Amino acid sequence: MQFRLLRQGALLVASMSLASCWLDSDSGSSSSNDPPAADQPPNILFVIMDDVGIDQMESFGYGGTDIAGPPAVPSIDTLADSGIRFRNTWAMPECSPSRATFVTGLYPMRTNVLQAIGPDDLANSHVSPYVMTIPKVLATAGYENGMFGKFHIGGPENNPAGFAAPAALGWEYFYGWGGLPASIDTSAGIVGAEDQYSCGFVPGPGQPGGAHAGACYVPQAGGSASCTEIAGEQDGDPAGLQCLTQGGVLVPGQACLAQVVEQSELEGLVDFKRENAHYVSKLLINWDGEVEDVSLADPRSRGYRATIEVDSAIDWINTRSDDTPWMATVSFSSAHTPLQHPPRALAPTARADTLEANCTSEAPLNQRSITDALIESLDTELGRLLVETGLATRASDGSLSYDPQASNTMVVVIGDNGSFAPTVKAGFDMGRSKGSAYQTGVWVPLVISGPLVEQPDRNVEHMINAVDLYQFFADVAGIDLDEVVPQGTDAEEMLSYLTNPERDSVRELNFTHGGLNILANDGVNGPCVFSGNFCSHTPMSAQICADNNGVWWGPGAVLGTEEGDPIKAVDHCWQVNQAIYEKYGNDYEEHRVTMGALDYMAIRDDEYKLVRNEALEYDPDTDSGVLIKSNELYRINQAAPIPRLDREDHELPKDDLDAVEQEHYDELNYQLDLLLASHQACPGDGNSDGVVDQEDIDNYTQLSAEWGESSMYDFNHDGLTNAQDLAIIQANLGACPQ
């Protein structure tokens, strides 16, 4: 079905008919270090790391106090040495909200993208196709825009654009995945081997279920499969991982039926239709108005994600014309859960030699080592990306040789949120990590290098927010945002930090925000309990809860293990404590779990930080959930290697603040309330242009006729775009509240 959306009179194509920015076949290819055209703005290579907090980065001063040390990231270190390390950067507490701020220049409260987007989240919590995303902004200056890897800011579920969501948001070319890596396939693709292989591949001999050799079946286009017999280790990888890296399934201890066999003949032996974390994922391609949802049995959907992400970026960058600027967004899936071994050759340190074939939470030290290996593999592939696009070369010793002045390309590398709790490095707070507004959850590495940097190899200690990259990209392209985005943004200028080493701080305050996305009828994801004592609504399913070492209490959960055990599946986190109270009575306090906040945010100045949490707590007296709000004040810094964090025992007592502390507390409270008040609801304004008018009626009419389900015009959150929403538009015609 073709579907079109309107924004201020301009036609946007949501699923088809986008103009292609690819070159004709006779245009030739170019190297990114060729001399740019006169007065041409720089190209932009934007690299996003998944779940990599600043605690992982030795070049930022951290990670060195961890027992195993930090992961080795020589490519990122080289970029940092040739550019700027922004040591005081905040992202949002989770991936989708941060990515939405990158591309919209807006804080989460304005986009309604407040947590990782799940399949049940309505379009109201997807990035809107009506907003001026950064690829749309850069297109006004003639930039071509490609995105590679993880998308996760909208669709395909509950979204009118469906699989064409990347195109609807402005990318001429997208090659990657809609969202997170799927769960590990514990059958490793072998029929009848369920729950035998916790890492998704057949391990080597000496490990449970291990094998020295076997037949490796790799699906091919057209419905056939090739087969090779693999034996022994290569680059340290057992035969099972070697086969998985090639996109295949290893049948241990068997010879090939034939070198080429029809997939239908393998039924009952191997299953090519199972997703497998970082190795088998449904590939999505948007290109030249075409949308392709690639099957799992297609060889393009199979192989190590980070390698596929970089391969596709290299192919696109190397076919850009010298006289057209481009922005390539390489959005890595590493080091997000499920934690799974990368190919050994991509993780060069000795840590990879110690990995066990146990990817469960029962092997926490192994999980930490797997995370380090995932980060190292990301860095290795980033180095290959730089070399194979001509942005860098290899020295005689194999190290990366990078001259930021040799190409007309700015390189930006950032983490999307803090580290996942079990992987947090020493010196940081595992209990207040990803998914919280505390420092370990939102403090991320940011490196910028390229020809615009004056006096490279320096640190900037001033506050930066992930949202500021929106303004930065526009400034690099020479675009006046006031003209292109007259509604304004939350982004602050940061380009001057590159050109003026003495620049004072642009930001006086920093802000981060997380919460719950909008589900049908304003429901919530089911409760997930982590480490036995913390309940969260962030995981959107039982499997994702399990992938993140949690215990699911939501729909379908079966938790009672003893006769008469009252513990049962519930809808809300506070009901977990209700069930625990029913079971333990007077001993309830010993067993109750901590409630994760439903709305959580933080604001800081140079020295102090205010954290505001809102949570529903169970009240035994009323046998119900009661909303609890808290404001917490901390004094923080960026000291290395051990920073002063907002740990639980560091909270400043509000009834005993000195005069200076009270002044900061009052000012931060005031500024936070002022910021929140700057966003006012405007029912009926589906395209967020600040007015409810005929354009909203026209958009509604098209959506309701051609789609009818969840959209930006579903104002009552019932998952439908229907006459009830039209009535809301008609009742609110006029300018939005200012």
Side-chain angles (χ1 to χ4, degrees):
M1 178 180 67
Q2 292 191 354
F3 182 75
R4 299 189 297 178
L5 296 172
L6 297 174
R7 182 186 187 278
Q8 299 181 355
L11 190 63
L12 295 179
V13 181
S15 62
M16 305 290 286
S17 303
L18 282 176
S20 171
C21 286
W22 275 67
L23 300 175
D24 294 332
S25 60
D26 60 352
S27 298
S29 62
S30 66
S31 174
S32 298
N33 62 354
D34 289 342
D39 300 322
Q40 182 171 305
N43 305 315
I44 300 170
L45 174 60
F46 181 36
V47 178
I48 306 171
M49 303 181 291
D50 205 333
D51 285 3
V52 180
I54 200 169
D55 59 295
Q56 307 287 343
M57 293 288 153
E58 187 173 29
S59 65
F60 282 76
Y62 307 110
T65 61
D66 200 70
I67 294 176
V73 287
S75 301
I76 296 173
D77 290 347
T78 297
L79 291 171
D81 292 344
S82 303
I84 298 175
R85 289 170 287 270
F86 289 88
R87 293 190 65 258
N88 193 357
T89 302
W90 273 11
M92 301 304 125
E94 293 185 39
C95 54
S96 295
S98 284
R99 293 160 191 266
T101 64
F102 296 153
V103 304
T104 67
L106 300 171
Y107 287 140
M109 60 192 177
R110 309 193 202 284
T111 64
N112 287 324
V113 183
L114 291 159
Q115 67 180 138
I117 295 174
D120 296 327
D121 292 344
L122 297 184
N124 310 72
S125 283
H126 298 192
V127 172
S128 170
Y130 302 106
V131 75
M132 279 296 286
T133 60
I134 199 61
K136 295 177 186 177
V137 170
L138 293 184
T140 66
Y143 276 73
E144 297 178 339
N145 294 278
M147 188 177 189
F148 313 91
K150 177 179 170 182
F151 186 60
H152 208 193
I153 52 176
E157 299 90 356
N158 295 321
N159 190 307
F163 289 110
L169 296 186
W171 280 279
E172 294 97 347
Y173 187 71
F174 174 80
Y175 194 103
W177 337 101
L180 306 172
S183 299
I184 290 175
D185 173 19
T186 57
S187 74
I190 305 167
V191 175
E194 284 73 11
D195 299 325
Q196 292 189 28
Y197 306 110
S198 73
C199 292
F201 61 87
V202 178
Q207 304 216 37
H212 173 75
C216 178
Y217 292 97
V218 180
Q220 304 297 319
S224 65
S226 64
C227 185
T228 57
E229 293 172 10
I230 300 178
E233 292 193 348
Q234 180 177 339
D235 295 325
D237 288 338
L241 185 52
Q242 293 176 52
C243 180
L244 182 62
T245 302
Q246 297 170 24
V249 174
L250 185 81
V251 181
Q254 291 194 16
C256 291
L257 297 177
Q259 287 186 332
V260 178
V261 60
E262 293 301 309
Q263 291 181 25
S264 59
E265 297 179 39
L266 298 175
E267 292 182 7
L269 182 64
V270 301
D271 186 354
F272 294 132
K273 297 179 182 179
R274 289 178 178 262
E275 291 183 286
N276 192 351
H278 287 264
Y279 285 91
V280 183
S281 309
K282 281 179 69 72
L283 181 67
L284 174 63
I285 305 172
N286 287 191
W287 172 33
D288 194 17
E290 300 294 329
V291 177
E292 188 174 2
D293 178 28
V294 182
S295 75
L296 292 174
D298 189 301
R300 293 172 295 173
S301 290
R302 309 177 71 87
Y304 186 53
R305 269 200 181 206
T307 298
I308 294 171
E309 291 156 357
V310 165
D311 282 345
S312 57
I314 291 170
D315 290 344
W316 185 81
I317 292 171
N318 284 342
T319 52
R320 299 307 88 212
S321 169
D322 290 337
D323 56 9
T324 303
W326 51 261
M327 179 176 178
T329 299
V330 181
S331 180
F332 281 108
S333 301
S334 298
H336 199 285
T337 55
L339 302 177
Q340 188 180 36
H341 299 56
R344 174 66 182 79
L346 300 182
T349 68
R351 183 177 292 115
D353 295 331
T354 68
L355 297 184
E356 304 170 9
N358 183 349
C359 294
T360 70
S361 58
E362 298 174 357
L365 293 179
N366 194 50
Q367 283 199 329
R368 292 173 68 84
S369 293
I370 293 173
T371 299
D372 290 340
L374 285 167
I375 295 173
E376 291 182 355
S377 72
L378 173 162
D379 185 82
T380 298
E381 289 293 46
L382 173 57
R384 183 169 68 87
L385 171 65
L386 296 172
V387 170
E388 295 191 17
T389 55
L391 297 177
T393 58
R394 290 289 178 190
S396 58
D397 62 357
S399 63
L400 193 68
S401 178
Y402 169 68
D403 178 2
Q405 301 299 323
S407 71
N408 192 36
T409 302
M410 298 301 300
V411 183
V412 179
V413 182
I414 193 171
D416 65 348
N417 49 247
S419 297
F420 174 51
T423 72
V424 168
K425 291 290 185 283
F428 286 73
D429 193 342
M430 293 177 62
R432 294 185 161 191
S433 53
K434 175 189 174 182
S436 79
Y438 298 102
Q439 286 294 88
T440 306
V442 302
W443 188 10
V444 298
L446 170 61
V447 170
I448 298 181
S449 190
L452 299 182
V453 174
E454 298 290 338
Q455 296 184 22
D457 194 14
R458 56 185 167 93
N459 297 332
V460 170
E461 303 291 340
H462 302 308
M463 289 179 285
I464 298 292
N465 193 284
V467 77
D468 299 339
L469 288 175
Y470 185 88
Q471 175 79 54
F472 175 76
F473 295 142
D475 287 342
V476 167
I479 296 170
D480 184 346
L481 273 184
D482 290 337
E483 292 184 4
V484 178
V485 190
Q487 297 94 333
T489 74
D490 292 304
E492 297 283 2
E493 184 275 326
M494 58 180 292
L495 179 61
S496 58
Y497 290 125
L498 277 62
T499 58
N500 181 6
E502 306 303 320
R503 181 71 165 90
D504 292 334
S505 181
V506 175
R507 281 187 168 272
E508 296 181 0
L509 299 167
N510 215 345
F511 174 71
T512 190
H513 186 194
L516 300 182
N517 287 341
I518 299 172
L519 274 69
N521 303 310
D522 295 317
V524 296
N525 295 326
C528 179
V529 177
F530 296 99
S531 302
N533 60 6
F534 178 80
C535 188
S536 171
H537 286 286
T538 294
M540 63 283 292
S541 69
Q543 188 58 63
I544 293 175
C545 176
D547 287 342
N548 288 274
N549 302 338
V551 176
W552 181 252
W553 284 65
V558 180
L559 297 168
T561 56
E562 302 173 8
E563 185 176 352
D565 192 337
I567 294 178
K568 56 187 180 297
V570 295
D571 295 322
H572 294 270
C573 275
W574 69 266
Q575 293 172 321
V576 172
N577 274 343
Q578 182 185 47
I580 291 173
Y581 183 80
E582 291 175 1
K583 178 178 181 180
Y584 292 104
N586 293 335
D587 295 327
Y588 162 69
E589 289 296 332
E590 297 180 18
H591 299 277
R592 66 185 296 272
V593 300
T594 300
M595 295 292 99
L598 303 180
D599 197 34
Y600 47 100
M601 61 196 73
I603 191 168
R604 71 163 293 183
D605 55 28
D606 285 335
E607 295 184 75
Y608 291 87
K609 178 178 181 179
L610 179 79
V611 179
R612 180 177 294 178
N613 292 316
E614 295 185 7
L616 279 173
E617 298 276 3
Y618 173 63
D619 179 12
D621 292 336
T622 61
D623 194 34
S624 63
V626 178
L627 184 64
I628 303 296
K629 300 182 180 181
S630 68
N631 284 330
E632 306 164 7
L633 183 68
Y634 301 89
R635 192 166 187 176
I636 58 174
N637 62 32
Q638 290 77 243
I642 306 295
R644 183 175 181 85
L645 299 177
D646 42 7
R647 299 181 184 275
E648 184 176 5
D649 57 352
H650 287 181
E651 181 182 356
L652 299 173
K654 289 187 289 293
D655 57 355
D656 192 28
L657 300 177
D658 62 31
V660 173
E661 293 167 346
Q662 188 68 52
E663 180 180 0
H664 283 272
Y665 178 79
D666 293 341
E667 179 65 16
L668 290 173
N669 257 308
Y670 170 75
Q671 292 292 345
L672 181 55
D673 289 338
L674 192 66
L675 177 58
L676 296 175
S678 71
H679 177 67
Q680 299 189 38
C682 186
D685 182 23
N687 60 359
S688 301
D689 64 353
V691 61
V692 183
D693 57 11
Q694 185 62 42
E695 187 173 323
D696 291 300
I697 294 175
D698 292 343
N699 290 347
Y700 158 79
T701 300
Q702 183 179 358
L703 281 162
S704 61
E706 299 185 19
W707 173 248
E709 299 180 31
S710 171
S711 76
M712 291 296 169
Y713 283 86
D714 173 19
F715 300 112
N716 62 355
H717 302 165
D718 63 355
L720 302 172
T721 302
N722 56 20
Q724 297 178 30
D725 302 302
L726 176 61
I728 293 173
I729 297 174
Q730 294 171 330
N732 290 278
L733 291 171
C736 294
Q738 297 297 312

